[in-house]
Amino acid sequence: MAVRSRDRIDVIAEQWRRERPNLDVEALALVGRLFRVVELAEAELAPPLRAHGLDSGWFDLMAALRRAGPPYELHPTELMATTMLTSGGMTKRIDRLVGAGLVERRPDPGDGRATLVRLTRRGKRIADAALETHIAGDERLLGALSQAERRTLDVLLRKLLAALDNRR
């Protein structure tokens, strides 16, 4: 393991230790680092997606359709579950993707009241290209970690996510 370097979260934790020495701020620092990692990762991953004409929200929806497998379609409620958007947010995002020619709506042949959202051919091509770009970006983000450190981080994050998901 590399020598520990100071970051802005250390400064915040030190300030709280000075001001409130009766509190253990270790959890605050760790969660702060998780939020900071997400913030920085999003900032780094967004520009390469924009080169494909996508923002991260569009990519998330298109990736959900792409990984669904042929015919690359899902009901809006299934998309909401996989992207964690509200109904209104999902409708807006689908409308924009339809307008861009990346997805299409079609009636569900199994349920006349339902609609399916499907990737267009162009949408599939862009989703595939953007996925390769996104994975390369993920690799760059994790470049500071060894394979063993990545596995350890994965195990720990899985454990934390499982505990948080079980609270819902």
Side-chain angles (χ1 to χ4, degrees):
M1 175 107 16
V3 175
R4 185 176 164 211
S5 61
R6 287 176 42 83
D7 61 23
R8 69 171 58 184
I9 305 299
D10 286 319
V11 173
I12 293 168
E14 287 167 6
Q15 291 169 335
W16 279 123
R17 284 185 194 103
R18 183 190 68 232
E19 295 299 315
R20 295 292 308 270
N22 58 316
L23 294 178
D24 180 357
V25 295
E26 184 178 329
L28 179 132
L30 185 54
V31 172
R33 281 191 181 89
L34 287 172
F35 279 114
R36 183 75 176 136
V37 164
V38 168
E39 177 185 334
L40 292 171
E42 286 176 347
E44 188 157 325
L45 294 173
L49 287 177
R50 283 195 294 273
H52 293 281
L54 305 175
D55 66 26
S56 61
W58 284 23
F59 175 71
D60 286 346
L61 190 144
M62 292 172 64
L65 292 169
R66 178 60 178 94
R67 68 179 178 264
Y72 312 113
E73 65 185 15
L74 293 169
H75 292 100
T77 52
E78 293 170 312
L79 283 169
M80 281 188 333
T82 192
T83 60
M84 294 183 259
L85 278 174
T86 63
S87 177
M90 179 57 65
T91 299
K92 222 181 266 188
R93 190 168 292 168
I94 292 169
D95 288 346
R96 289 185 179 135
L97 286 168
V98 167
L102 301 173
V103 303
E104 60 189 11
R105 286 186 178 96
R106 66 182 205 88
D108 182 345
D111 180 354
R113 301 166 295 155
T115 301
L116 290 164
V117 178
R118 175 187 284 185
L119 276 178
T120 62
R121 284 187 183 149
R122 179 171 171 261
K124 181 181 176 289
R125 278 193 314 275
I126 289 173
D128 283 342
L131 177 62
E132 291 176 21
T133 300
H134 189 69
I135 289 171
D138 290 344
E139 286 292 335
R140 279 191 310 279
L141 287 176
L142 296 173
L145 302 177
S146 69
Q147 287 300 319
E149 289 169 330
R150 288 183 187 196
R151 285 189 296 272
T152 299
L153 181 60
D154 186 57
V155 167
L156 295 172
L157 289 174
R158 277 177 197 274
K159 182 177 182 177
L160 180 58
L161 283 172
L164 293 172
D165 280 341
N166 285 335
R167 292 182 187 177
R168 298 184 125 215

